[in-house]
Amino acid sequence: MVEFYCLNDYPDWPCLGQVCCMGRAGTRKGVTGGETTCAVTSLGPAKADAQGLQGIWRGHWGTEDRNH
């Protein structure tokens, strides 16, 4: 299960468009666990909504995985 949250009005940083957090849960070798990761971006909600940010985030990690 993937949950995606946008915290658009939280911090007051120059050039900050959005803060978002993604929570993931899964089971590996019979053990269920989860994690939450967060990111900041200069893209505002008009340029990338939650679904758009999720696609960018997944694309970034796909690139990272191919390079390692």
Side-chain angles (χ1 to χ4, degrees):
M1 174 177 77
V2 174
E3 296 181 49
F4 205 78
Y5 306 97
C6 286
L7 308 171
N8 296 338
D9 298 325
Y10 183 63
D12 186 24
W13 293 350
C15 301
L16 178 67
Q18 297 183 78
V19 176
C20 53
C21 296
M22 184 185 309
R24 293 184 281 258
T27 302
R28 182 179 292 167
K29 296 183 181 179
V31 178
T32 299
E35 68 178 359
T36 300
T37 53
C38 299
V40 296
T41 180
S42 60
L43 296 173
K47 291 190 176 186
D49 60 4
Q51 186 175 8
L53 287 175
Q54 185 177 20
I56 293 168
W57 195 323
R58 286 182 171 176
H60 166 77
W61 285 110
T63 302
E64 288 287 324
D65 290 343
R66 282 189 300 276
N67 287 328
H68 294 289

